[in-house]
Each structure stands twice: as structure tokens, then as C-alpha cells.
Amino acid sequence: MAVPVRVRRRTDQEGQKLQQIVRRGGTNSVRYRRAMMLLASAGGNRVPVIAQLVQADEDTVRDVIHRFNEIGLACLNPQWAGGRPRRLSPDDEDFVIQTATTRPTKLGQPFTRWSLRKLVAYLRKVHGRVIHIGRETLRSLLARRGTTFQRTKTWKESPDPDREAKLDRIEEVLDRFLDRVFAFDEFGPLGIRPTAGARWAARKRPDRLPATPCRP
């Protein structure tokens, strides 16, 4: 017949500590429930009764009692593992961010912007460095590394060689003549924004392309 699982004889300090944890309760439910298991076992209760008392599995109760018999009160603070090991190394994450912030056309792809689906598919077939990552994991990685989906911004520079002299003249007029009137020739709409769309870029640092003020 198997010997019933039961806690060993406690020291005075161990008994006082367990009673203190149970009486005060507290926010650490793991310590509280484990202390109740040990006190109930010390009171002569069998494992099935203790399992019903703390609403736990019988194997869990047995494991706690065995750990107390081996290491004492240290069993009240279990050192659980941190979950499944990471599948992406820091170098792989850097490569993902570098790929996301690079234009697809530069990598030989027949489209102008990345999406999560396209980026995941590309990373899984990169020659020499295949990276398996899901869409939600990729979304979390981009957000954690400060990379967001942003619209492309443009700027326009004047090709006029007398640009600086004209700007100086405008500033002089603004300072000298308070009752000033500016007249501009009417001009039709001029599209100066390139159709580059949007892409993944570092937060608050969207890609910038030159405008085309001299488009034919």
C-alpha cells in the first residue's frame, strides 16, 4: 500500500510563517494557496481533501508537498519558466526592420509598398535567410521597434538662380511697406506630389521624395 503524501515536521519558524501568510491573505494568491496546502497537510488531511479545499489538481498538491519537504518555504515562490523560447534572434529582428523600411522595388519586388501579408511572404523566401514569422508577431515587432505605416512626404525646391535675391526683396518689402499688396498671376492646378503612396518607416520619420515642379 502506498504511503500517503504528507508534509514533514515543520520547524517553529516555518509554522509561524505559514500561519502568518494564511491569516493575512495578501495579493499573492500563489503563496496563499500553497501555504493553505501545507497547513492542511500538516493537520492530517489527505491530498484529495486538500485539492477540493483549494480548488487545485491533486498532482499539484502532491508536487507542493514534495517541494516543501525538499527545500522548505522556498516552494512558496515557484520559479516558472518564461514560456516558449524566442524564435527570432536580435539579428533576425534587425533584418526584419531593415526589410520593412526598404522600398520593395529595391529588393526586386513588383510592388511599391509593403503590407503585412506581403512582408511575411517575402521574409519566408529570402535567399539564404528564411524567417518564419506571423502577421500578428510582425505587427507587434514593428510597433515595439518604433516603425509605423506612414504616408510619403514631398518637398519642392526652386531651380531659379535668382531665388535668394528675390527672397531678400520680399523680406525687404515686408519690413518697409506695411500697406502692401501682392498680385499673383492666376495659374491652374499643378500636381507636384509623386504617387509613391505609403510605406513602413521609423516613427515620425516618413520617407521623403523630391517633388516634380517641372513636370512636362
Side-chain angles (χ1 to χ4, degrees):
M1 182 176 178
V3 179
V5 178
R6 186 175 180 180
V7 296
R8 58 170 172 78
R9 181 176 297 177
R10 301 160 299 158
T11 65
D12 294 339
Q13 292 79 6
E14 290 174 343
Q16 293 174 3
K17 184 64 176 180
L18 293 175
Q19 291 179 0
Q20 181 182 12
I21 294 174
V22 172
R23 288 175 180 174
R24 293 184 177 180
T27 58
N28 194 329
S29 60
V30 176
R31 288 172 56 88
Y32 176 76
R33 295 180 67 200
R34 290 192 168 214
M36 287 188 60
M37 295 178 192
L38 299 177
L39 287 179
S41 178
N45 295 289
R46 298 295 182 90
V47 170
V49 177
I50 301 174
Q52 293 181 357
L53 175 65
V54 298
Q55 295 297 310
D57 187 75
E58 295 184 8
D59 291 336
T60 302
V61 177
R62 294 189 181 95
D63 291 340
V64 172
I65 295 175
H66 285 309
R67 291 296 291 170
F68 175 79
N69 294 338
E70 294 174 0
I71 62 177
L73 294 178
C75 71
L76 299 178
N77 301 307
Q79 301 296 327
W80 287 310
R84 187 180 66 180
R86 296 177 56 182
R87 300 182 62 180
L88 293 181
S89 64
D91 292 339
D92 292 336
E93 292 185 357
D94 293 339
F95 179 76
V96 171
I97 298 300
Q98 180 182 0
T99 304
T101 54
T102 303
R103 288 192 170 277
T105 53
K106 293 183 178 180
L107 301 176
Q109 301 303 303
F111 44 82
T112 59
R113 70 178 70 175
W114 291 113
S115 65
L116 291 177
R117 178 181 58 83
K118 294 178 180 178
L119 187 55
V120 167
Y122 175 80
L123 292 172
R124 291 181 177 178
K125 64 179 182 180
V126 177
H127 179 69
R129 188 169 191 172
V130 179
I131 296 179
H132 294 281
I133 186 173
R135 297 186 190 179
E136 190 59 34
T137 304
L138 177 59
R139 189 196 313 274
S140 301
L141 173 60
L142 293 172
R144 188 172 70 254
R145 298 291 290 270
T147 303
T148 58
F149 198 69
Q150 302 182 31
R151 291 288 178 183
T152 301
K153 291 187 177 181
T154 62
W155 79 95
K156 181 177 67 173
E157 294 183 357
S158 173
D160 190 349
D162 299 329
R163 174 175 176 270
E164 295 298 330
K166 294 179 179 179
L167 290 176
D168 293 339
R169 175 58 178 165
I170 292 175
E171 292 181 358
E172 180 185 2
V173 171
L174 293 176
D175 294 336
R176 291 181 55 187
F177 304 99
L178 300 180
D179 298 334
R180 55 188 177 271
V181 176
F182 287 93
F184 297 92
D185 294 334
E186 184 177 353
F187 192 79
L190 176 64
I192 62 173
R193 296 181 59 188
T195 57
R199 60 188 291 268
W200 292 98
R203 185 178 290 118
K204 296 184 179 180
R205 295 183 62 87
D207 194 20
R208 300 177 65 85
L209 294 178
T212 54
C214 300
R215 180 182 301 170

